[in-house]
Amino acid sequence: MHNLAIAPLSGILPITEPPKQKLHQTQLFEVAVSISINGISQAVMMASPEHLKDFALGFSLSEGLINSCNDVLDIIVHSHQCGWQVDLQVLARVQHQLKQRRRTMAGPSGCGLCGLDSIEAAMSLNVPQDQTTKTLKLPSEQVIIQAKDALPRLLKSSGGTRGNHCAAFFDLSAHIVAFREDVGRHSALDKLLGCLSNKKQATNEGFVLITSRCSHDLIAKAARLSLTTLVTLAQPTDLAVSSARKTQLALFCFQHGQLKRYA
C-alpha cells in the first residue's frame, strides 16, 4: 500500500481567535438587601445599595407591614458579607400585628405559597379610608410633559446612573420635590415613597413619574401611600388600569411617545 501525502489546501487561512474588545465597566450596582422588623426577617430584595433607609421604610409602608412612619422608632443599616441588612425598630403593638399577620398567612403548601390566601394578598388594594374623599388635583398635560423632559437633566446634574429606573415626585407646577433611583422599578418607587414619608410630603399636591411600564403592584403601592396621580413612561397592563380605576388613582402613561390617560 502506498502512503499518500495530503497536500495543503491553498487559500484557507488558519483559524485565529477574534480580537478581544475591552468591555466598559458597568455602573449598575445590585446587592441583596434583607429587611427585618424588630429583628424578624420580612423580605430579601435585590436593589441598588443607596438610600437603604428610604427603601426599607417605603417597602414596609407600601407592602402594608407598617401603617405609618410614626410606627418606626429607628432604622439601622448593617453591612453583610453577602449584602446589606436593614432593621426597622417599631412599636410593640406593630410587632404584635405583624405576628398575627404571619400566623394568618401561614399555610401547609409545600411550594412556599399558601394557596388562595396568597393570591388574595397579592391582589388586595388596601386604600386608606380618606383616599376616596380627597379632591383630585390633577397635573395638566403640559406639566406632565414638562416634568418628563426635565428628568434627563435632573439625573445628569445629580449624578444619576444611566440604566437605573428613576421615580420622581413633582408638584403641580412641574417642580421636582424628590427623586430616587434603583436598578429595579419597584425598589425605585419604594425608595421615593420612603423619602416622601420622611419629609411628611402631602402626596395629593403633585404626582409621581416612573421611568418604567405600569403594573398592578405599582398601583397597589401607590394607593397604599395615598398617591393621587401616577405617570409612567411606558404603557400599563390591563390589570394595572383596572386597579387604578378601583382605587380612584389617576393614571397617565406614555405610549409610543404620546401621553394618554387610562384612569
Side-chain angles (χ1 to χ4, degrees):
M1 177 178 290
H2 300 285
N3 292 327
L4 299 177
I6 301 176
L9 299 177
S10 60
I12 298 180
L13 298 177
I15 298 176
T16 59
E17 293 185 0
K20 294 182 179 180
Q21 296 180 350
K22 184 178 180 181
L23 299 178
H24 295 287
Q25 178 65 38
T26 178
Q27 296 299 314
L28 291 177
F29 297 106
E30 183 180 30
V31 297
V33 181
S34 173
I35 298 176
S36 61
I37 295 181
N38 285 6
I40 301 175
S41 178
Q42 303 296 323
V44 178
M45 311 290 290
M46 303 305 295
S48 301
E50 296 84 22
H51 301 291
L52 293 183
K53 288 187 176 182
D54 286 341
F55 175 48
L57 177 59
F59 176 85
S60 299
L61 288 167
S62 69
E63 294 297 323
L65 301 179
I66 62 176
N67 297 319
S68 165
C69 59
N70 295 327
D71 294 338
V72 180
L73 302 174
D74 196 7
I75 302 178
I76 303 172
V77 180
H78 302 280
S79 62
H80 189 275
Q81 182 179 1
C82 299
W84 294 85
Q85 179 174 340
V86 188
D87 186 52
L88 281 76
Q89 301 293 323
V90 303
L91 299 173
R93 60 173 175 80
V94 178
Q95 183 177 0
H96 177 73
Q97 292 171 359
L98 276 175
K99 287 182 179 180
Q100 291 296 111
R101 171 180 171 174
R102 290 170 70 94
R103 188 177 297 114
T104 301
M105 292 299 294
S109 173
C111 66
L113 299 176
C114 42
L116 184 60
D117 287 341
S118 289
I119 295 175
E120 290 178 344
M123 294 297 296
S124 65
L125 294 166
N126 298 321
V127 184
Q129 293 182 354
D130 62 343
Q131 175 77 338
T132 57
T133 61
K134 283 185 177 181
T135 302
L136 289 180
K137 300 178 181 179
L138 300 181
S140 66
E141 179 179 348
Q142 180 182 2
V143 164
I144 293 176
I145 293 176
Q146 185 178 345
K148 171 183 174 291
D149 292 342
L151 205 54
R153 296 192 300 271
L154 170 68
L155 292 174
K156 184 176 181 179
S157 63
S158 61
T161 302
R162 184 178 179 86
N164 272 346
H165 284 294
C166 176
F169 187 82
F170 292 87
D171 66 18
L172 296 176
S173 298
H175 296 139
I176 185 69
V177 175
F179 85 97
R180 289 291 183 265
E181 62 174 327
D182 194 273
V183 69
R185 56 196 176 95
H186 303 89
S187 302
L189 179 58
D190 280 331
K191 287 181 179 181
L192 176 66
L193 295 176
C195 175
L196 294 175
S197 297
N198 269 328
K199 290 185 173 184
K200 310 292 184 183
Q201 175 66 42
T203 52
N204 64 330
E205 298 292 335
F207 61 97
V208 168
L209 173 64
I210 308 180
T211 57
S212 73
R213 63 179 175 84
C214 184
S215 54
H216 161 81
D217 39 6
L218 294 183
I219 298 294
K221 286 176 177 291
R224 290 190 185 104
L225 271 293
S226 299
L227 292 177
T228 57
T229 306
L230 178 65
V231 182
T232 67
L233 296 191
Q235 68 185 55
T237 65
D238 59 341
L239 185 56
V241 173
S242 175
S243 299
R245 291 172 178 170
K246 288 178 181 178
T247 58
Q248 300 185 25
L249 176 74
L251 177 62
F252 296 85
C253 305
F254 285 87
Q255 184 176 17
H256 304 300
Q258 297 294 318
L259 179 64
K260 297 182 180 180
R261 181 177 179 181
Y262 289 85

